[in-house]
Amino acid sequence: MKYMQGSYPIVEKQAIAADTFSFTVRCPEVAALAKPGQFVHILPKGYGLRRPISIAGIDRATGTLRIVFAIRGKGTEALAQMNPGDDMDMIAPLGHGFTLLPEAQHVALVGGGIGVPPMLPLAKYYGERATAISGFRSFKQIILQEDFDALGAQAICCTEDGSAGAVKGFVTAPLEQLISEGLDAVYACGPMPMLRAVAEVCLRTGTWCEVSLEERMACGVGACLGCACRTKDANGEEQFLHVCKNGPVFKAEEVQW
Amino acid sequence: MADLSVNICGIDFKNPIIPASGVFGYGHEYEEFYSLSKLGGIATKGTTGKKRTGNIAPRIAETPAGMLNSVGLQNPGIDAFIEKELPYLLTKDTVILANIAGSTPEECAEVAAKLENTDVHMIELNISCPNVKQGGAAFGTSCVMAEQVTTAVRKATTKPLVVKLSPNVTSITDIAKAVEAAGADAVSLINTLLGMRIDIRTRRPVLHNNVGGLSGPAILPVAVRMIWQVANAVNIPVIGMGGVSTGEDAIELMMAGACAVQVGMACFTDPYAPVKIIDGMERFLDENNIAAARDIIGTVKPW
Ligand SMILES: Cc1cc2nc3c(=O)[nH]c(=O)nc-3n(C[C@H](O)[C@H](O)[C@H](O)COP(=O)(O)OP(=O)(O)OC[C@H]3O[C@@H](n4cnc5c(N)ncnc54)[C@H](O)[C@@H]3O)c2cc1C
Ligand SMILES: Cc1cc2nc3c(=O)[nH]c(=O)nc-3n(C[C@H](O)[C@H](O)[C@H](O)COP(=O)(O)O)c2cc1C
Ligand code: FES
């Protein structure tokens, strides 16, 4: 794995929903290496620990990466104060990304809330072979649906309260529908209850599935063993792997749900 | 250019800066950033007799100017360390301190004995772990237990033995004197201070283990105080650590009495921290016309 630390200029900032921001950062060396599912580890000014944020866009032509994050605490609040021209201190690209399946005919990209952004690089790769199923609590949190359209993927938006989108309720209903019609792969990122439900559906139906997990991190590179995730090895024996290095993407059957 | 080299227990360090145990793994991950040969030494992740899986996550919590961790000594066990990690580390032209731990004095001694036939330079015995034979209190919290475990490991090794002290005690100087009497060649301090954080929305501790060890800039003044007291209480070298993130911080620990300085949490904030600290020390020494880093050890002038 190859990664680097540097201060990279922000070239674009956009508020895309309440307390949710999209930043584009110029970092050609990182963009050249980055793969869908990897993340960047950003140092908010004045803090001791970095914040892991998924890569939401990779543009090798312009040498830029895009990230999308929600304000969840003091660190992300400090990051949201940054502006174009400021430098973002990050270690990147980190982690083991999604497995790309060149032969796949139809894949589902299941994102929940702030788990939707890492689905964008997959939508770029699969184009019209992808259906993005995004779940949000209500219309206020909806993000990135036009981006999926622009990349040629079909977008199905679900809200728990039915305030917007085609589906009222959870992402699993449209997912089960797609699986019954025939799906080659499911990729998922979002809150743990959603991932658990998605993994359950995929394991039950024998559908290939990868999930991107979250855990609190310190080093971000696999040295401190801080970001442990309970997994099973091939013999079903419990082992702790590390979200930053072995993940954040894991096979659904590897994880101890 | 100031001479940064130091000698501790007969081992030459090219400079006094050592990434601390548990933050640097076995070095591989940081080699992406710089050559490990720039470092004075490396203290490896605490290794026990058998493989340990460690605690359930979350294992990390942020705190004002610091962090808590409850990794819980996850490691592959001493045999895997000797076979898979050590040979590689020993090619890196830097001093390797094998940090070891165990649940009983016998386990610690067994781990040290296995290192006896390797070329590892020093053994750093972590006595902050629970002693299962004594109701789970950490070895490092009583003079009797600290002495017992040090005696057991001393018998098992001829390598320079550094005993790493816990700060969670009433009198760290008493513990330091006890391990000196039991045959320690040096002491290192401080390990993390026990702490806790609660998520007030869920009323759950942030760490799954409820409590964890505090490190980072927040503990620097505690480290300076304890290093100063211990350096004045024992006649063996002191390796200092706790909250160091700049060259000036490292100089401060050395003036308090440390012969070398370990760097923990700062590696997370900036993976280049150890290298920048070395540069910062050199700059300070040059600007103040001090010929050698060793000349500042213990030179604080108390009121
Ligand atoms: C691999 C990965 C990718 C992620 N991608 C995104 C993304 O694309 N967009 C986005 O909005 N968020 C993402 N997150 C979550 C994001 O890292 C947290 O929301 C953020 O760290 C919160 O920081 P804070 O300072 O605002 O919160 P605070 O609560 O003040 O943070 C305190 C500490 O806890 C850690 N922490 C708190 N919540 C989380 C969490 N959910 N996951 C990991 N660490 C946490 C912080 O990093 C910090 O060390 C991702 C997390 C991981 C592990
Ligand atoms: C994530 C983490 C893991 C640690 N693991 C160990 C360990 O295995 N053995 C040990 O003796 N100390 C361990 N420590 C303690 C450090 O080596 C050091 O004593 C402490 O962090 C204080 O230094 P700092 O303030 O520079 O971080 C660990 C610290 C951290 C942050
Ligand atoms: S954050 Fe250090 S190992 Fe993952």
Side-chain angles (χ1 to χ4, degrees), chain A residues 1 3 48 51 225 245, chain B residues 29 32 53 59 62 74 269:
Chain A
M1 213 174 9
Y3 44 82
R51 269 59 179 171
L225 313 184
K245 189 173 187 174
Chain B
E29 291 78 12
E32 281 295 334
T53 51
R59 295 177 171 184
E62 195 175 47
Q74 178 174 6
T269 314

Side-chain angles (χ1 to χ4, degrees), chain B residues 5-19:
Chain B
S5 68
V6 292
N7 182 295
I8 302 172
C9 310
I11 308 286
D12 283 318
F13 289 72
K14 64 184 79 160
N15 65 62
I17 300 302
I18 306 164

Side-chain angles (χ1 to χ4, degrees), chain A residues 60-127:
Chain A
R60 300 224 160 89
T62 57
T64 57
L65 284 188
R66 181 184 185 191
I67 55 168
V68 173
F69 63 87
I71 297 181
R72 283 292 148 79
K74 292 191 187 128
T76 44
E77 180 153 19
L79 293 178
Q81 305 291 322
M82 299 184 79
N83 285 304
D86 294 344
D87 284 340
M88 202 172 253
D89 178 342
M90 53 187 209
I91 305 177
L94 293 175
H96 167 91
F98 291 112
T99 309
L100 302 175
L101 306 168
E103 310 289 319
Q105 293 304 309
H106 192 191
V107 304
L109 314 179
V110 185
I114 205 61
V116 173
M119 295 299 139
L120 283 179
L122 289 171
K124 184 172 174 185
Y125 178 78
Y126 288 109

Side-chain angles (χ1 to χ4, degrees), chain A residues 38-44 49-55 67-70 72 75-76 79 89-91 94-95 114 213-221 227 243-244 248, chain B residues 60:
Chain A
Q38 289 190 300
F39 68 97
V40 301
H41 210 26
I42 311 175
L43 185 66
L49 291 180
R50 292 169 180 268
R51 269 59 179 171
I53 302 290
S54 301
I55 293 172
I67 55 168
V68 173
F69 63 87
R72 283 292 148 79
T76 44
L79 293 178
D89 178 342
M90 53 187 209
I91 305 177
L94 293 175
I114 205 61
L213 301 184
E214 286 189 359
E215 195 43 74
R216 287 171 186 253
M217 295 185 180
C219 71
V221 294
C227 60
V243 171
C244 70
Chain B
I60 303 287

Side-chain angles (χ1 to χ4, degrees), chain A residues 219-256:
Chain A
C219 71
V221 294
C224 75
L225 313 184
C227 60
C229 161
R230 267 172 149 169
T231 63
K232 289 171 283 197
D233 66 13
N235 306 319
E237 221 173 286
E238 177 174 274
Q239 62 174 345
F240 280 121
L241 292 181
H242 296 283
V243 171
C244 70
K245 189 173 187 174
N246 311 107
V249 175
F250 294 93
K251 296 213 173 334
E253 64 267 25
E254 257 184 304
V255 179
Q256 292 230 316

